[in-house]
């Protein structure tokens, strides 16, 4: 199996800046850089992870452990301070519900905009449009402004677009908690289907039951370091043990 | 190299580092997305507005009338028997410069804010971020069209018969200004992520821009009041070149006697203006790609 995601010794430090204006920065420089204008901390430290094509990986850990940050490095939103991140093929992320959706546009316009943002060509979107609408169960509301959608509808449309981008790597960050039971089931089925088609999945979720159903491998992050990498049951066990 | 590491390399064929863009070239590759972003901007801006796109006719027209009355009539800049030193057909003179400056102002100010405005998206999904300043410029280009319509109508009413050279110069002048706005938009759009002061700085810059180019007065005043050297510096400003190009194309054919173009305008200064603008774009591109790697975390 070819490698899908290869992360080697990834470090990411964030600067907690306390000021954002030139005046304050200049004053700080003039005062001989006294006091801390910025404080650095490591959000990811020495993270190495190789994921084969078609693997299903649950990324687990407490809030602030660096899960979202790691996904953002895989999608290219963030760049490493040290180490390398390499991927094969197209990434689609559901990092947050409806990122790239505009409330003042209709569902239809948003499908085009979001599909295009996620890397689909015009032709691909046109081909997939009906299927996207069908999957989302939005029906006639597709020409209504998205601001009038319920959060469930919002999620369904966002998810429908994302699964139709035909990504090679699919990143899911804590979004499946939204939506009603039947749609969650449908999403899980779709995710499984994607995986059977050989897509790589990386899922962040606090819903252990869901994660157990979808993922085989489990990786646990703690303060930006990988502390456990094995089966999903082992990972959940590690977390439960504290 | 060991056997182990080479087999690892075999598996790694085709792996790429995500998040590295080819700059403005990526924008060309994402033309469809650019179009959607521009459409979105236009739709959203005029949502719930009765007059819609008509506003982009009304606003410059009002601005023009105010300037014309205040400067042309009250302050007597329009050429007349009492004021033979004034500019003939001052209304067209003023308007042809103002439309271009309006375009520049809107383009640069929106481009400078574009990265911060779209921060929500930039933080979550990777896409060529140059798209945002470029689409801001494009939207301003669309708003520029109705103003051009008003200008051309006004010119035709005052007996406008431009030559091909004049029209071609206007196109070049617009291009010079659009490139300048793009380059500066990339620079300030990126810097604004780190220092929100950039927005205010741009507002100030734009206020100066109207006065640092021959929009309200003639270029000869710079020469007469400040001398030749000052004129050369004045002409290095691509905005001056753009505005003079527009005067050449729209105002001169409608005016009987004019001060003419600055010396060597077409042969030397227009090409220089183009080069300066292109350099600003290259600088913007360079600075932007230096800074964009940290956009997601700084926003
Ligand atoms: N852009 C940022 N700037 C500064 N700190 C950040 C930024 N993004 C995340 N962090 C910090 O990095 C740590 C890891 O965050 P995150 O990856 O979102 O955790 P998780 O998704 O596991 O809850 C947290 O302490 C968070 O506050
Ligand atoms: Mg998170």
């Amino acid at each position: 199996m070819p490698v899908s995601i290869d992360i080697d010794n990834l470090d990411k430090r964030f600067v907690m800046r306390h000021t954002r204006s030139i005046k304050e920065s200049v004053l700080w420089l003039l005062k001989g850089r006294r006091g801390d204008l910025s404080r650095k901390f490591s959000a990811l430290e020495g993270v190495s992870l190789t994921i084969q094509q078609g693997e299903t990986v649950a990324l687990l850990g407490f809030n602030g452990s660096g899960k979202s940050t790691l996904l953002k490095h895989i999608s290219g939103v963030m760049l490493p301070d040290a180490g390398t991140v390499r991927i094969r093929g197209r990434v689609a992320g559901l990092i947050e519900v409806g990122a790239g959706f505009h409330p003042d546009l209709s569902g239809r316009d948003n499908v085009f905009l979001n599909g295009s943002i996620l890397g689909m060509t015009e032709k691909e979107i046109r081909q997939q449009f009906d299927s996207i609408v069908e999957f989302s169960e939005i029906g006639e509301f597709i020409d209504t402004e998205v601001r009038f959608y319920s959060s469930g509808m919002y999620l369904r449309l966002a998810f429908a677009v994302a699964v139709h981008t035909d990504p090679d790597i699919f990143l899911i960050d804590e979004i499946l908690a939204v939506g009603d039971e039947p749609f969650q089931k449908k999403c899980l089925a779709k995710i499984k289907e994607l995986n059977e088609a050989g897509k790589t999945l990386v899922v962040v979720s606090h819903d252990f039951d869901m994660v157990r159903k979808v993922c085989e491998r489990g990786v646990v992050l703690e303060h930006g370091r990988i502390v456990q990498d094995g089966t999903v049951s082992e990972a959940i066990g590690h977390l439960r043990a504290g | 190299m060991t056997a182990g590491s080479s087999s690892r390399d075999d598996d790694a064929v085709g792996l790429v580092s995500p998040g590295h863009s080819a700059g403005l070239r990526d924008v060309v590759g994402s033309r469809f997305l650019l179009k959607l972003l521009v459409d979105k901007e236009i739709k959203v801006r005029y949502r719930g507005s009765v007059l819609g796109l008509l506003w982009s006719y009304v606003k410059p027209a009002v601005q023009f009338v105010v300037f014309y009355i205040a400067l042309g009539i009250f302050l007597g800049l329009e050429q007349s028997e009492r004021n033979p030193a004034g500019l003939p057909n001052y209304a067209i003179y003023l308007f042809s410069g103002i439309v271009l400056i309006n375009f520049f102002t809107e383009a640069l100010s929106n481009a400078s804010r574009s990265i911060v405005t779209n921060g929500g998206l930039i933080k979550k999904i990777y896409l060529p971020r140059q798209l945002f300043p470029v689409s801001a410029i494009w939207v301003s280009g669309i708003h520029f069209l109705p103003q051009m319509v008003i200008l051309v109508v006004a010119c035709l009413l005052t007996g406008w018969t431009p030559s091909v050279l004049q029209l071609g110069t206007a196109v070049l002048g617009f291009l010079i200004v659009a490139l300048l706005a793009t380059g500066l938009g990339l620079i300030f759009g990126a810097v604004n992520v780190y220092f929100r002061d950039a927005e205010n700085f741009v507002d100030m810059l734009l206020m100066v821009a109207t006065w640092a180019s021959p929009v309200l007065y003639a270029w000869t005043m710079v020469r007469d009041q400040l001398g030749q050297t000052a004129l050369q510096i004045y002409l290095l400003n691509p905005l001056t070149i753009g505005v003079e190009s527009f005067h050449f194309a729209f105002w001169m054919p409608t005016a009987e006697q004019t001060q003419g173009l600055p010396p060597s305008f077409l042969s030397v200064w227009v090409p220089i203006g183009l080069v300066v603008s292109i350099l600003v774009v290259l600088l913007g591109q360079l600075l932007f790609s230096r800074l964009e790697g940290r956009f997601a975390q700084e926003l």
Side-chain angles (χ1 to χ4, degrees):
Chain A
M1 268 292 170
V3 173
S4 177
I5 302 170
D6 185 51
I7 300 169
D8 190 32
N9 241 315
L10 167 61
D11 280 344
K12 186 68 182 181
R13 283 178 300 278
F14 285 128
V15 179
M16 300 302 281
R17 234 193 279 194
H18 295 148
T19 170
R20 290 240 170 222
S21 92
I22 288 177
K23 183 183 141 205
E24 282 165 278
S25 305
V26 168
L27 279 177
W28 173 75
L29 283 173
L30 287 178
K31 283 181 193 156
R33 303 179 179 225
R34 250 181 296 127
D36 54 341
L37 187 70
S38 60
R39 188 171 58 86
K40 279 194 173 182
F41 76 98
S42 288
L44 294 172
E45 234 181 314
V47 171
S48 294
L49 186 63
T50 303
I51 298 174
Q52 311 294 323
Q53 194 177 311
E55 266 194 287
T56 46
V57 182
L59 200 55
L60 306 174
F62 297 119
N63 284 334
S65 56
K67 306 180 297 291
S68 299
T69 305
L70 186 55
L71 290 192
K72 285 178 180 178
H73 280 83
I74 298 173
S75 68
V77 167
M78 285 184 182
L79 298 178
D81 289 331
T84 55
V85 176
R86 293 178 309 161
I87 60 163
R88 185 194 309 280
R90 184 142 101 190
V91 190
L94 271 189
I95 304 286
E96 216 163 291
V97 183
F101 268 49
H102 200 291
D104 291 337
L105 295 180
S106 69
R108 183 183 299 274
D109 287 343
N110 269 305
V111 167
F112 275 89
L113 187 58
N114 206 237
S116 183
I117 284 171
L118 291 175
M120 292 171 89
T121 63
E122 181 175 7
K123 198 171 145 221
E124 283 170 330
I125 303 174
R126 288 194 195 288
Q127 276 169 356
Q128 301 284 343
F129 187 81
D130 291 337
S131 170
I132 291 172
V133 177
E134 196 194 305
F135 187 90
S136 70
E137 298 167 24
I138 294 292
E140 65 203 46
F141 290 102
I142 191 66
D143 286 310
T144 306
E145 282 172 23
V146 159
R147 53 155 77 236
F148 298 118
Y149 284 18
S150 67
S151 59
M153 289 163 79
Y154 215 80
L155 170 80
R156 289 197 319 249
L157 194 59
F159 191 86
V161 175
V163 291
H164 284 82
T165 55
D166 191 30
D168 301 291
I169 300 168
F170 205 65
L171 310 174
I172 301 172
D173 193 353
E174 298 191 49
I175 57 118
L176 290 174
V178 205
D180 51 18
E181 186 79 27
F183 190 72
Q184 275 191 27
K185 280 225 174 78
K186 189 169 164 179
C187 288
L188 287 188
K190 186 72 190 180
I191 289 173
K192 287 213 172 106
E193 191 189 310
L194 284 170
N195 180 235
E196 274 152 25
K199 314 293 182 190
T200 307
L201 298 180
V202 183
V203 180
V204 171
S205 176
H206 291 292
D207 181 347
F208 290 158
D209 291 337
M210 196 279 289
V211 155
R212 231 189 266 275
K213 274 185 228 157
V214 176
C215 302
E216 278 166 18
R217 183 171 167 192
V219 173
V220 180
L221 276 176
E222 207 176 282
H223 300 302
R225 292 173 171 279
I226 292 181
V227 292
Q228 165 77 33
D229 183 355
T231 67
V232 71
S233 299
E234 284 167 358
I236 291 171
H238 181 99
L239 268 185
R240 287 219 163 116
Chain B
M1 212 183 259
T2 65
S5 84
S6 81
S7 86
R8 188 193 141 101
D9 285 351
D10 286 346
D11 283 347
V13 170
L15 286 176
V16 292
S17 295
H20 293 275
S21 87
L24 289 173
R25 254 179 302 149
D26 276 352
V27 174
V28 179
S30 315
R31 280 185 308 272
F32 181 59
L33 180 51
L34 179 64
K35 176 185 171 293
L36 292 176
L37 289 172
V38 170
D39 286 355
K40 177 201 85 176
E41 204 52 47
I42 302 270
K43 269 188 200 168
V44 169
R45 179 163 328 176
Y46 294 113
R47 206 183 63 85
S49 130
V50 181
L51 289 183
L53 204 61
L54 215 65
W55 277 116
S56 43
Y57 291 85
V58 174
K59 275 191 270 181
V62 169
Q63 184 190 22
F64 166 64
V65 169
V66 169
F67 274 37
Y68 177 66
I69 294 173
L71 298 165
I73 299 176
F74 289 167
L75 297 177
L77 285 165
E78 165 93 45
Q79 198 176 47
S80 63
E81 267 149 47
R82 278 190 295 124
N83 178 24
L87 288 161
N89 214 357
Y90 187 62
I92 300 288
Y93 185 86
L94 198 55
F95 198 49
S96 50
I98 280 179
V99 291
L100 197 61
I101 293 293
N102 277 345
F103 161 71
F104 181 73
T105 304
E106 190 194 322
L108 180 53
S109 115
N110 289 345
S112 302
R113 288 169 171 80
S114 62
I115 301 296
V116 169
T117 310
N118 289 289
L121 188 53
I122 291 170
K123 270 196 290 196
K124 288 164 200 149
I125 298 175
Y126 175 74
L127 69 169
R129 290 104 174 189
Q130 284 86 353
L131 276 169
F132 298 109
V134 171
S135 76
I137 307 279
W138 204 276
V139 168
S140 311
I142 290 175
H143 288 146
F144 173 70
L145 288 177
Q147 304 188 43
M148 278 307 292
V149 171
I150 293 190
L151 175 62
V152 166
V153 168
C155 286
L156 288 173
L157 290 177
T158 46
W160 183 53
T161 45
S163 68
V164 173
L165 175 68
Q166 284 170 322
L167 290 178
T169 309
V171 171
L172 260 182
F174 176 75
L175 189 70
I176 288 171
V177 172
L179 286 173
L180 181 69
T182 307
L184 292 177
L186 286 170
I187 293 172
F188 289 113
V191 170
N192 199 29
V193 173
Y194 298 82
F195 299 104
R196 299 293 149 86
D197 311 66
E199 277 178 27
N200 297 305
F201 182 77
V202 165
D203 288 343
M204 194 182 67
L205 197 76
L206 289 170
M207 189 186 68
V208 175
T210 318
W211 293 93
S213 51
V215 179
L216 305 168
Y217 53 87
W219 64 268
T220 46
M221 287 190 184
V222 175
R223 184 196 56 197
D224 298 345
Q225 303 295 323
L226 301 174
Q228 279 297 338
T229 318
L231 180 65
Q232 313 276 311
I233 296 168
Y234 186 71
L235 286 168
L236 272 177
N237 175 5
L239 283 178
T240 302
I241 306 301
V243 169
E244 268 311 285
S245 304
F246 267 48
H247 287 156
F248 179 51
F250 298 103
W251 171 67
M252 286 187 196
T254 67
E256 298 243 308
Q257 257 190 338
T258 73
Q259 73 279 18
L261 287 168
S264 332
F265 183 75
L266 294 176
S267 56
V268 176
W269 290 108
V270 170
I272 286 183
L274 195 59
V275 168
V276 170
S277 284
I278 289 172
L279 287 178
V280 174
V281 170
L282 293 178
L283 181 70
Q285 158 102 302
L286 190 75
L287 197 75
F288 194 94
S289 55
R290 280 282 183 90
L291 295 178
E292 73 168 332
R294 298 169 69 83
F295 280 176
Q297 67 205 65
E298 297 288 341
L299 280 162

